[in-house]
Amino acid sequence: MLKSQLLSLELDPEIRAHIEPPIFDALFSHVAKHPPAKHKRGVPSLTVSRAKQILEIVLPHYRERVAASLDGINRNNFVSFKEVGLLTHQWIHESVKFFRREGAPILREALVKDNEEQRVDYLWSILFSRRLLPLIQGSGLLRDPQKFECCDLAVECIKLWLGDIAKKLGSVDADRFSPSAFFLDTESYMEGEIEWKGRRLHLRGKPDAVMLNGETGRPEVWEYKFGLQGQIELQIAQVLFYLHLLNAVKGQAFETGRLEIFRVTPDLEKESSGTQSEFAEKIEAAFAGYVGNYAAVRRLKIECTLALKQSNPPTMPINLMFSGPGGLGKTELARRVAKALGLPLVDVPATTVRDVDSLLERINQTLQKNGQEPIEVGTDSGLKKMEYPPLVIFLDEVHELRRNADTFLNMFEPKEKRAVGKKVVGDFKNATLLAATTTPGLLPSPFLSRFRIIDLVPYTAEEVAAIIKPVFQKSGKAVEESFLVGLAKRGRLNPRVAIQRAEEMLSHHLFDEKQYPLNEIGLERISTESWRVDTHGLRQLDHTYLKALQSGPRGLSALVSLLPVEREEITQMVEPYLLQLEAISLTTKGRELTERGRLILEG
């Protein structure tokens, strides 16, 4: 089970004096060396988000010093639930606006409640019914069981936030209380000049909230963030940016900021109090060793558990479609599902499927290899009806069906699972149906509606390093973690490519270990001689793409005219990885070069 927590870090003057120098020295030094394209009356101009991009690049230079001020804040083992973080962030913004605009009588009523618990219950009941419930209903989460957990966890986060607000209300003078003063106006976009050691920077942005501290009577910047692993230092920096920006814009002494960190962690107390783990041993064993996409794996474990408990033979009542860039282990996940259910897997590339009959032929061929075959059970619509045994069917690259996908609607209708061919009708009521795609937008809506989408996210360098490590272990070669991470990056963070690179690196090493040592020197040599990639795994084509954006944003059509490749290679091979690296961003003006992309070009 998972639970939400709210950790609080106060950035008072003493802590600021300790952590501001490395943060602002790093930012202003970088801006001096790499001036941004935008200027305001001769002063370099950045948004707060752009400043965070810069700090993310130079973060290792001051992370240790910042960490010294974070006693009691555990930055490890955070469960990264992107959707929970986005929902929580949106709902807090809406909650602050609600209390500022409409909640004056509500907050005043809460002030006179007897205790903190009563204040929380009162605030939650009104906030949920009047503001959050319409947001949830409008988001479609209530109609998508796949999103329930994210929704529930986001609700828990908001309740924790309200508990925090209730504490602050306890120190407020009820006679002089004003919601608009308690939640100061931060809805307008702010911009102003900040100064550090004689250098100036024009900064633009908007904090989550500015609130009045009831004990000190001073306004404070409050940032409500989701505790993503390795990001707390950046979130601290963001609070500091806003403190300086508010001082510049408002002319007030904003001395203190507070970072409220939501995180989702395993509920160890509940897990340890029971006699059984959350998932059966068979299911845990089936997914053991799978690296990355932990939220998706947990979702599959739940679905496999329900199939084993609710049906015999075990069959998932819903169809699942894995969606995401290539190389994320979609086929491997299908194998793990089949193993968990104890059923054979039929892996069918959609490129080999022309119609229902060709699909049935591929399934029959796989069954024959396993010594199985469908059983004739009468007729259906004047055709011979064949009942298929329990199995897992995985249709890979399903977007290749395109408009032809509509001819398979009956087969993928969860309540029917009936494939009507020219001579036979296939009954797949005992089958679990899976699919995978890199571009779901190529499929018609009626076909997509028959699946629940499981979005897969790209691997981190550390995750790919863990995947390729066995290549060297099998040969008895000890390698440093930094070498594996470097190899993962040169494989474009794609496990399949990275494994190929690892095997090639190992073969070169065995051929001439002096020329190709298993370290950064050998990696640099083979990258230059054989692979023709830089330390990020970028080829000449990638650099040409980035250079095309140096003069400003460009649309896809303009890029196609400038690059020696077709549109499909740009959108399917070049851009996904550059987006993953955060070297480019997609804006309303077109593809835009980010700070990280600019630094990659500058080497």
Side-chain angles (χ1 to χ4, degrees):
M1 301 296 290
L2 297 173
K3 65 177 181 180
S4 301
Q5 291 178 292
L6 179 61
L7 306 177
S8 181
L9 179 65
E10 183 176 356
L11 303 178
D12 59 23
E14 183 178 350
I15 292 180
R16 287 182 63 182
H18 180 71
I19 65 177
E20 271 191 359
I23 289 176
F24 280 82
D25 284 344
L27 174 64
F28 278 81
S29 296
H30 177 90
V31 170
K33 291 180 182 177
H34 311 279
K38 287 190 176 183
H39 284 72
K40 196 81 168 180
R41 293 186 295 275
V43 179
S45 182
L46 292 173
T47 62
V48 170
S49 60
R50 194 78 169 196
K52 279 186 64 179
Q53 284 183 19
I54 293 173
L55 286 173
E56 193 166 7
I57 297 167
V58 300
L59 186 61
H61 298 299
Y62 65 85
R63 175 178 280 178
E64 292 181 3
R65 187 167 180 181
V66 173
S69 301
L70 303 181
D71 293 338
I73 300 293
N74 178 12
R75 297 183 307 285
N76 298 319
N77 301 321
F78 281 27
V79 180
S80 175
F81 271 53
K82 183 178 180 181
E83 288 177 328
V84 183
L86 292 174
L87 285 173
T88 304
H89 186 76
Q90 178 194 14
W91 291 0
I92 284 182
H93 272 293
E94 293 297 327
S95 300
V96 169
K97 286 195 290 186
F98 172 77
F99 285 131
R100 282 194 67 255
R101 295 174 178 177
E102 309 169 40
I106 301 167
L107 288 169
R108 292 194 182 97
E109 182 67 25
L111 282 173
V112 302
K113 298 296 180 183
D114 293 337
N115 53 54
E116 186 178 309
E117 183 177 352
Q118 289 183 9
R119 284 198 291 270
V120 172
D121 289 342
Y122 175 73
L123 290 174
W124 169 251
S125 63
I126 295 179
L127 176 64
F128 183 79
S129 61
R130 293 192 189 178
R131 190 71 197 103
L132 297 185
L133 184 57
L135 288 176
I136 298 173
Q137 292 172 331
S139 69
L141 294 177
L142 297 180
R143 295 188 295 274
D144 190 348
Q146 184 180 180
K147 308 289 186 180
F148 274 161
E149 185 172 44
C150 292
C151 182
D152 291 343
L153 289 171
V155 166
E156 285 186 31
C157 290
I158 298 298
K159 287 184 177 180
L160 290 172
W161 175 77
L162 281 177
D164 199 37
I165 296 299
K167 285 182 181 179
K168 297 178 181 66
L169 287 173
S171 60
V172 166
D173 184 346
D175 294 332
R176 290 189 284 178
F177 174 75
S178 166
S180 59
F182 186 68
F183 295 104
L184 276 73
D185 181 14
T186 60
E187 294 173 24
S188 58
Y189 194 73
M190 297 182 301
E191 52 181 306
E193 285 187 13
I194 66 174
E195 186 174 344
W196 183 258
K197 296 182 179 180
R199 293 173 175 172
R200 292 187 300 163
L201 179 65
H202 187 268
L203 201 60
R204 316 186 301 277
K206 186 180 76 171
D208 279 351
V210 178
M211 302 176 68
L212 192 68
N213 187 314
E215 296 178 354
T216 65
R218 292 182 176 180
E220 298 179 352
V221 174
W222 293 77
E223 279 290 307
Y224 297 93
K225 297 298 180 185
F226 206 70
L228 300 179
Q229 188 171 354
Q231 294 292 306
I232 290 183
E233 292 89 347
L234 289 175
Q235 294 164 355
I236 290 173
Q238 182 167 312
V239 175
L240 298 178
F241 293 154
Y242 285 133
L243 285 169
H244 281 259
L245 181 56
L246 280 161
N247 284 333
V249 174
K250 302 291 186 182
Q252 294 175 276
F254 287 85
E255 298 179 353
T256 305
R258 186 178 293 271
L259 179 62
E260 302 286 358
I261 307 160
F262 297 100
R263 68 175 182 177
V264 176
T265 59
D267 193 341
L268 299 179
E269 293 181 3
K270 288 186 177 180
E271 290 184 2
S272 61
S273 63
T275 57
Q276 295 181 337
S277 64
E278 188 176 7
F279 299 106
E281 182 178 347
K282 177 182 178 181
I283 291 177
E284 292 287 8
F287 290 93
Y290 188 90
V291 177
N293 277 292
Y294 304 107
V297 169
R298 187 170 188 274
R299 164 76 170 159
L300 292 174
K301 288 180 179 180
I302 292 173
E303 294 299 341
C304 289
T305 299
L306 294 175
L308 289 167
K309 285 183 177 180
Q310 298 177 357
S311 61
N312 186 23
T315 306
M316 285 189 188
I318 59 175
N319 306 325
L320 299 177
M321 182 183 294
F322 307 128
S323 176
L328 297 184
K330 304 181 189 72
T331 303
E332 181 60 25
L333 282 176
R335 292 194 189 102
R336 303 285 181 129
V337 169
K339 184 178 180 181
L341 298 179
L343 299 175
L345 175 68
V346 177
D347 184 357
V348 181
T351 51
T352 65
V353 175
R354 302 180 306 277
D355 49 29
V356 172
D357 290 294
S358 61
L359 176 58
L360 292 176
E361 183 179 349
R362 287 297 303 263
I363 295 172
N364 291 339
Q365 289 172 354
T366 303
L367 288 179
Q368 288 172 4
K369 292 179 182 178
N370 297 333
Q372 294 179 294
E373 59 181 18
I375 302 172
E376 185 175 347
V377 290
T379 61
D380 184 337
S381 303
L383 301 175
K384 184 166 58 176
K385 182 178 181 181
M386 306 298 293
E387 183 179 301
Y388 282 77
L391 73 165
V392 175
I393 299 174
F394 176 59
L395 195 58
D396 199 7
E397 301 298 333
V398 69
H399 55 269
E400 294 292 343
L401 297 178
R402 302 188 184 238
R403 294 181 180 178
N404 198 34
D406 281 342
T407 62
F408 297 87
L409 292 181
N410 286 338
M411 179 171 180
F412 291 99
E413 173 58 48
K415 294 182 180 179
E416 282 193 42
K417 294 184 181 179
R418 175 173 164 269
V420 182
K422 294 178 180 178
K423 295 182 180 180
V424 299
V425 174
D427 182 354
F428 290 94
K429 64 182 179 183
N430 293 323
T432 291
L433 305 180
L434 307 176
T437 179
T438 57
T439 48
L442 295 178
L443 290 163
S445 297
F447 184 83
L448 280 176
S449 67
R450 281 148 171 81
F451 290 85
R452 298 280 169 76
I453 306 294
I454 294 184
D455 293 312
L456 302 182
V457 297
Y459 289 99
T460 65
E462 290 73 21
E463 288 171 343
V464 177
I467 293 172
I468 63 178
K469 189 174 185 179
V471 172
F472 299 95
Q473 289 177 329
K474 290 177 182 177
S475 298
K477 300 293 182 180
V479 292
E480 297 290 335
E481 187 69 23
S482 58
F483 167 77
L484 292 172
V485 169
L487 190 51
K489 291 178 179 178
R490 286 167 173 85
R492 299 174 75 91
L493 303 184
N494 182 310
R496 190 181 302 118
V497 176
I499 288 173
Q500 293 173 355
R501 296 270 198 249
E503 291 171 343
E504 190 173 347
M505 181 78 227
L506 184 59
S507 65
H508 276 65
H509 173 74
L510 295 175
F511 171 72
D512 189 342
E513 62 182 42
K514 291 183 179 180
Q515 284 290 314
Y516 302 100
L518 299 179
N519 55 30
E520 189 62 38
I521 295 174
L523 196 53
E524 181 62 30
R525 178 169 289 120
I526 194 173
S527 297
T528 303
E529 294 177 358
S530 301
W531 302 335
R532 306 288 178 87
V533 298
D534 64 12
T535 56
H536 301 282
L538 298 179
R539 306 155 298 170
Q540 182 60 43
L541 176 62
D542 301 303
H543 282 270
T544 303
Y545 178 103
L546 293 176
K547 288 176 182 177
L549 300 179
Q550 280 184 309
S551 59
R554 290 184 184 273
L556 181 57
S557 298
L559 288 168
V560 170
S561 67
L562 293 171
L563 298 177
V565 292
E566 298 296 328
R567 178 185 294 256
E568 287 72 18
E569 185 168 351
I570 293 175
T571 57
Q572 296 179 22
M573 301 297 294
V574 177
E575 289 185 337
Y577 184 53
L578 292 177
L579 286 167
Q580 185 180 347
L581 285 182
E582 297 181 351
I584 63 171
S585 61
L586 305 181
T587 70
T588 54
K589 297 179 181 179
R591 274 69 170 164
E592 186 174 22
L593 191 68
T594 65
E595 191 71 24
R596 185 180 292 276
R598 193 158 62 86
L599 289 179
I600 288 174
L601 278 178
E602 294 175 1

